């Protein structure tokens, strides 16, 4: 039954089916075991089931405004066309069970179809009024599937606030870094605010990274309009105005990058190495002629054991290479192999990197781990 259902329905519909089944009186130990196997196969299934649970909670909320169509009418329409609303393969199910049980399964799936329809209505209404927050801890990464079909992958120590509404979709990147894969919807532009950057998109893929010195926007595919958000306006007011209509908006296309600071939008960089910008989704750090101070800070974003470069000369040295983000020991070992470099163990497991001889000029080009 599980394989037939997965072949003909979306993950969200499957999650609704499991919720309806497991909360019914007919749920068996076998059903619970099969659900455990289903939900363990991917993070998307966990997210879909949790989303279903949130919807059930929202449906019971006194704040939820339901449409004028009576629920009985919605259920009757869903029962009349179960293949359209929830195309479970009931024919294959009846082949493996008795006719009486098959009729029970068909009735149960018809009610599941009605539940999916009602939850779909509830989802649309619930999302209109309830922003959601998603966050990651130090060293953690998380992929979030939004209700509109867009996906946001959060890097270490990152937070987003999501607000999907009828006329627009808004995401506030509070801190950290995120890769956005936006589902196309020309009627509802996708607006991202991050630091001093305000981005508008209708369907593309781009990376946003907030740092103390500015916000870096890198476009992987498609195009994005970039503007510097005015501190005098709220994110909602800016989104309502639309950044594409502003004079300052800059259009970035695939392999373009720009840094936005409080002073405004910087000069765009064309033809950049996008793979280096999104290597973090594979838990890798890729550097091309980056100062050692910046490389050390990248490792510190992912690990509790800090790497502190205690030499101005050493901080300026450039590094080119690929490292594992969660393996600072390999980077420390690489640093210790540089002539004149000394590694001292600091408090709380930190590593202090010193340069013994001021005349040493370590060559760190071509490093690879």
């Amino acid at each position: 039954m599980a394989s037939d259902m997965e072949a003909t329905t979306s993950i969200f519909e499957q999650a609704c089916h499991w919720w309806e089944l497991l909360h019914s009186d007919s749920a068996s130990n076998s059903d619970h075991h099969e659900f455990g196997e289903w939900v363990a196969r991917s993070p998307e299934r966990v997210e879909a089931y949790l989303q279903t649970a949130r919807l059930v909670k929202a449906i019971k909320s006194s704040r939820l405004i339901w449409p004028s169509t009576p629920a009985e009418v919605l259920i009757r329409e869903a029962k009349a066309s179960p293949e359209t609303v929830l195309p479970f393969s009931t024919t294959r199910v009846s082949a493996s069970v008795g006719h009486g049980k098959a009729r029970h399964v068909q009735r149960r799936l018809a009610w599941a179809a009605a539940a999916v329809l009602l939850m779909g209505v509830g989802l649309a209404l619930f999302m209109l009024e309830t922003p959601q927050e998603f966050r990651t801890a130090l060293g953690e990464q998380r992929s979030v599937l939004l209700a509109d079909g867009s996906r946001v992958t959060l890097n270490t120590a990152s937070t987003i606030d999501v607000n999907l509404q009828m006329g627009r979709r808004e995401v506030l990147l509070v801190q950290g870094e995120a890769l956005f894969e936006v589902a196309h919807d020309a009627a509802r532009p996708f607006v991202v605010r991050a630091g001093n950057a305000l981005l508008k998109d209708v369907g593309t893929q781009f990376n946003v990274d907030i740092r103390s010195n500015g916000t870096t926007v890198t476009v992987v595919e498609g195009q994005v309009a970039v503007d510097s958000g005015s501190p005098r306006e709220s994110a909602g007011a800016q989104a309502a105005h639309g950044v594409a209509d502003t004079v300052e908006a800059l259009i970035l296309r695939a392999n373009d990058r720009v840094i936005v600071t409080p002073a405004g939008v910087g000069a765009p960089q064309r033809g950049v190495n996008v793979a280096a910008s999104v290597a973090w989704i594979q838990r890798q750090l890729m550097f091309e002629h980056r100062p050692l101070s910046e490389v050390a800070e990248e490792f510190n974003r992912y690990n509790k054991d800090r790497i502190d470069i205690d030499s101005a000369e050493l901080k300026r040295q450039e590094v080119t290479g690929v490292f594992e983000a969660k393996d600072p020991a390999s980077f420390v070992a690489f640093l210790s192999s540089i002539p004149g470099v000394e590694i001292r163990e600091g408090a709380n497991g930190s590593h202090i990197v010193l340069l013994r001889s001021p005349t040493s000029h370590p060559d760190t080009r071509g490093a690879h781990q």
Side-chain angles (χ1 to χ4, degrees):
M1 175 178 175
S3 60
D4 291 341
M5 179 177 68
E6 293 176 19
T8 57
T9 62
S10 68
I11 291 180
F12 179 70
E13 291 173 325
Q14 295 170 37
C16 291
H17 160 74
W18 282 116
W19 178 273
E20 190 274 340
L21 174 60
L22 297 181
H23 287 77
S24 68
D25 295 334
S26 60
S28 64
N29 291 334
S30 177
D31 291 328
H32 285 275
H33 178 73
E34 190 174 351
F35 166 73
E37 293 182 342
W38 174 84
V39 78
R41 289 176 196 162
S42 72
E44 288 79 11
R45 299 186 179 197
V46 176
E47 185 68 30
Y49 192 79
L50 292 176
Q51 187 179 79
T52 303
R54 289 195 297 267
L55 289 175
V56 173
K57 180 180 179 181
I59 289 171
K60 297 178 181 179
S61 172
S62 59
R63 297 183 302 154
L64 186 62
I65 302 174
W66 284 94
S68 57
T69 306
E72 293 78 6
V73 174
L74 295 176
I75 294 174
R76 185 166 60 251
E77 292 177 354
K79 284 183 174 181
S81 304
E83 296 82 8
T84 301
V85 179
L86 185 64
F88 288 128
S89 182
T90 55
T91 302
R92 299 180 206 174
V93 172
S94 62
S96 58
V97 297
H99 293 294
K101 189 173 181 180
R103 285 194 297 271
H104 171 71
V105 170
Q106 289 174 347
R107 286 197 303 271
R108 185 176 68 193
L109 294 181
W111 280 102
V116 170
L117 179 59
L118 290 173
M119 286 182 177
V121 174
L123 173 62
L125 295 171
F126 181 54
M127 290 302 180
L128 289 180
E129 63 169 283
T130 310
Q132 294 176 281
E133 180 186 87
F134 302 94
R135 61 173 63 240
T136 54
L138 180 70
E140 180 188 8
Q141 293 181 351
R142 180 181 180 184
S143 179
V144 179
L145 182 64
L146 304 184
D148 69 329
S150 299
R151 181 179 300 280
V152 183
T153 304
L154 299 176
N155 201 358
T156 173
S158 301
T159 303
I160 59 171
D161 289 334
V162 179
N163 189 7
L164 302 181
Q165 300 202 17
M166 187 70 69
R168 64 180 182 270
R169 301 168 289 174
E170 299 179 19
V171 176
L172 171 64
L173 179 58
V174 180
Q175 65 178 14
E177 183 174 15
L179 178 66
F180 295 85
E181 300 172 67
V182 180
H184 180 78
D185 187 348
R188 291 198 303 163
F190 195 99
V191 177
V192 177
R193 186 177 184 186
N196 292 97
L198 186 64
L199 319 175
K200 183 179 179 182
D201 166 66
V202 294
T204 188
Q205 185 177 3
F206 56 95
N207 192 80
V208 185
D209 186 9
I210 297 180
R211 302 296 178 95
S212 58
N213 60 343
T215 300
T216 302
V217 181
T218 306
V219 179
V220 179
E221 61 181 41
Q223 64 181 32
V224 178
V226 183
D227 194 9
S228 57
S230 169
R232 293 186 296 272
E233 292 187 286
S234 66
Q238 293 168 3
H241 295 165
V243 298
D245 297 329
T246 64
V247 176
E248 300 178 4
L250 170 70
I251 302 300
L252 294 183
R253 295 176 174 81
N255 303 315
D256 288 350
R257 174 190 297 151
V258 73
I259 299 177
V260 183
T261 67
V265 180
Q269 306 169 35
R270 310 294 185 184
V272 300
N273 183 0
V274 171
S277 298
V278 298
W280 62 266
I281 63 176
Q282 303 296 331
R283 296 188 176 274
Q284 291 185 330
L285 301 177
M286 185 180 299
F287 306 106
E288 294 182 58
H289 304 289
R290 292 277 295 277
L292 194 54
S293 58
E294 295 183 9
V295 175
E297 282 305 312
E298 280 296 304
F299 273 97
N300 293 340
R301 293 177 67 192
Y302 295 85
N303 303 280
K304 294 181 179 179
D305 298 341
R306 290 184 55 84
I307 300 175
D308 296 320
I309 311 297
D310 194 16
S311 166
E313 181 179 352
L314 201 56
K315 287 180 179 179
R316 293 191 297 268
Q317 302 303 310
E318 292 185 347
V319 172
T320 295
V322 180
F323 301 88
E324 294 295 325
K326 296 291 289 180
D327 187 17
S330 64
F331 181 62
V332 171
F334 159 69
L335 293 175
S336 65
S337 68
I338 300 174
V341 168
E342 177 184 354
I343 309 293
R344 296 180 183 175
E345 299 301 317
N348 302 320
S350 64
H351 306 281
I352 303 175
V353 184
L354 304 165
L355 190 60
R356 287 195 299 266
S357 173
T359 59
S360 298
H361 298 283
D363 182 5
T364 59
R365 293 172 295 176
H368 183 85
Q369 295 292 326

